Amino acid sequence: MGHDALAQVLRHLPKVIDKNLIVGAQHADDAGVYKLTDDIAVVNTLDFFPPIIDDPYTFGQISAANALSDVYAMGGVPRLAMNIVAFPAGLDLSILQEIIKGSTDKLKEAGVILVGGHSIEDKEIKYGLSVTGLVHPQKVITNAGAKPGDKLVLTKPIGVGVITTALKNGKIKPEDVQDAIEFMKALNDKSSAIMQEIGVNACTDITGFGFLGHAMEMAEASRTGVSPVNIALVFNIKNMPFFPKAIELVKKSKNHPKTIKSNREYLADKIKMSDSVTPEQANLLYDPQTSGGLLISVPSERSQKLLERLFAAKVSASMIGEVIAKIDRPTLTVKS
Ligand code: CO
Ligand code: CO
Ligand code: CO
């Protein structure tokens, strides 16, 4: 979900009281969870956006991986999906066919069945999916629940917003940033299954609000959730994974995604950044991520095991920080 003024409107929905509603709109989580039986809860989410990359097949793959991500972030297993399509009149329909093919191939990889969808004519292409997943009602992982002493683990490197902007402006070619494209296409399925097995306290996926934006949501949600604790998050910049190309691009060009600035302004008074954090690193910490990884808050004694299991499954993961007790207000500290 986006985090601009529009998203703020959508956050303020009427309060719903329903004993089966496990996660509703009041959480800044990107999926809703509703208990059907003692063993099964349904997870609902949707995501769609304009092409961030020229190749339609690749865009379809990335869009699907991104739409499924909110189910994985909650520890769920996606089962069904429906297309959301906006397409200009008169534009070559083979472009749409390629987008759908990329998406369907990704859904197949995830074991998800495409059951339909809806399309409209629009000035600009937009594509995404609504996704339905399943999770055990007792095993829902939300962005609330981080506890003092937890270690913070991040999967996937940061910086795809800067990279896709440079691609769009013709500053780089897709073959220069194949690694970033591969990461955007990668499902968060293995990370999700592994964190379910290990047992973690909180998780969120890193998308449009940038690394620090989603981290802040975790900090705030954990202070207001079902069992609130006063916490703040501390990150070690040395352990933050960035795409080298993103660092290079952000150094060279002033033409960054606009969202970096709006994310930075929105979070301004909540972030403490050590002087040793370079301006390039700081920019990337606010960079909007398309189909980013998972930020996981895991009890310290299980953190090593989580990392080992992720590495064994060939998931790129880093231990990037920890959760501390903090009384007054949630902050994010980035130190060296
Ligand atoms: Co989302
Ligand atoms: Co999300
Ligand atoms: Co319809």
Side-chain angles (χ1 to χ4, degrees):
M1 192 193 264
H3 290 269
D4 46 15
L6 297 177
Q8 292 307 317
V9 174
L10 293 180
R11 285 272 155 88
H12 293 101
L13 300 175
K15 235 197 175 115
V16 178
I17 309 284
D18 184 314
K19 65 177 171 39
N20 293 319
L21 187 64
I22 301 174
V23 179
Q26 72 278 16
H27 301 250
D29 244 319
D30 301 330
V33 184
Y34 191 83
K35 184 171 133 180
L36 298 179
T37 70
D38 285 346
D39 302 315
I40 299 175
V42 69
V43 187
N44 272 340
T45 185
L46 73 83
D47 253 303
F48 67 107
F49 46 74
I52 41 118
I53 198 149
D54 279 343
D55 179 57
Y57 180 80
T58 308
F59 170 59
Q61 287 181 298
I62 293 171
S63 197
N66 178 65
L68 297 171
S69 177
D70 286 316
V71 176
Y72 290 131
M74 307 202 92
V77 179
R79 286 285 184 230
L80 305 173
M82 300 186 94
N83 283 321
I84 304 165
V85 176
F87 202 77
L91 193 65
D92 185 353
L93 282 173
S94 70
I95 296 172
L96 180 58
Q97 281 161 355
E98 279 297 299
I99 294 173
I100 303 287
K101 180 155 193 334
S103 171
T104 332
D105 284 352
K106 193 46 78 177
L107 293 175
K108 207 169 172 190
E109 181 189 331
V112 173
I113 308 166
L114 190 64
V115 290
H118 190 77
S119 58
I120 58 161
E121 273 182 20
D122 200 357
K123 285 200 191 72
E124 189 185 22
I125 298 176
K126 294 175 196 78
Y127 178 73
L129 296 153
S130 75
V131 181
T132 303
L134 300 176
V135 66
H136 193 287
Q138 307 291 330
K139 295 192 85 179
V140 180
I141 302 167
T142 70
N143 63 354
K147 296 199 170 44
D150 281 5
K151 298 290 183 200
L152 296 164
V153 170
L154 178 69
T155 72
K156 295 192 185 181
I158 300 286
V160 294
V162 166
I163 287 171
T164 53
T165 303
L167 277 173
K168 235 180 190 168
N169 297 332
K171 301 264 187 259
I172 49 169
K173 295 197 175 70
E175 45 278 28
D176 301 333
V177 286
Q178 209 47 51
D179 58 340
I181 293 171
E182 289 305 319
F183 271 111
M184 283 190 280
K185 294 196 298 199
L187 294 172
N188 287 322
D189 57 345
K190 292 193 195 80
S191 320
S192 177
I194 291 168
M195 73 173 177
Q196 268 300 11
E197 263 178 60
I198 301 276
V200 306
N201 285 334
C203 177
T204 185
D205 61 339
I206 305 298
T207 54
F209 202 11
F211 170 76
L212 289 176
H214 292 284
M216 180 50 77
E217 285 182 335
M218 181 182 278
E220 283 172 349
S222 298
R223 295 170 72 109
T224 55
V226 191
S227 41
V229 263
N230 292 320
I231 59 146
L233 309 183
V234 180
F235 302 106
N236 193 327
I237 194 71
K238 286 198 206 88
N239 298 338
M240 283 297 305
F242 296 111
F243 288 107
K245 197 74 188 176
I247 296 268
E248 196 185 299
L249 284 166
V250 91
K251 237 181 219 167
K252 266 204 307 233
S253 151
K254 292 272 164 284
N255 205 353
H256 308 319
K258 284 189 296 260
T259 320
I260 289 185
K261 191 165 172 268
S262 59
N263 285 347
R264 181 194 290 272
E265 281 163 6
Y266 186 79
L267 295 163
D269 55 338
K270 296 168 176 172
I271 311 278
K272 286 189 216 157
M273 227 174 272
S274 131
D275 292 340
S276 58
V277 178
T278 67
E280 293 81 39
Q281 291 169 328
N283 271 325
L284 292 181
L285 291 171
Y286 296 103
D287 181 48
Q289 304 301 287
T290 299
S291 192
L294 301 181
L295 172 63
I296 305 168
S297 188
V298 57
S300 174
E301 68 275 14
R302 287 181 224 154
S303 59
Q304 216 42 54
K305 184 136 189 240
L306 175 68
L307 270 188
E308 280 164 22
R309 292 291 318 275
L310 289 170
F311 293 151
K314 303 213 162 29
V315 172
S316 155
S318 321
M319 184 99 78
I320 54 161
E322 60 191 343
V323 182
I324 59 163
K326 189 163 188 298
I327 305 296
D328 55 347
R329 64 197 180 97
T331 50
L332 306 181
T333 304
V334 186
K335 58 166 199 175
S336 56

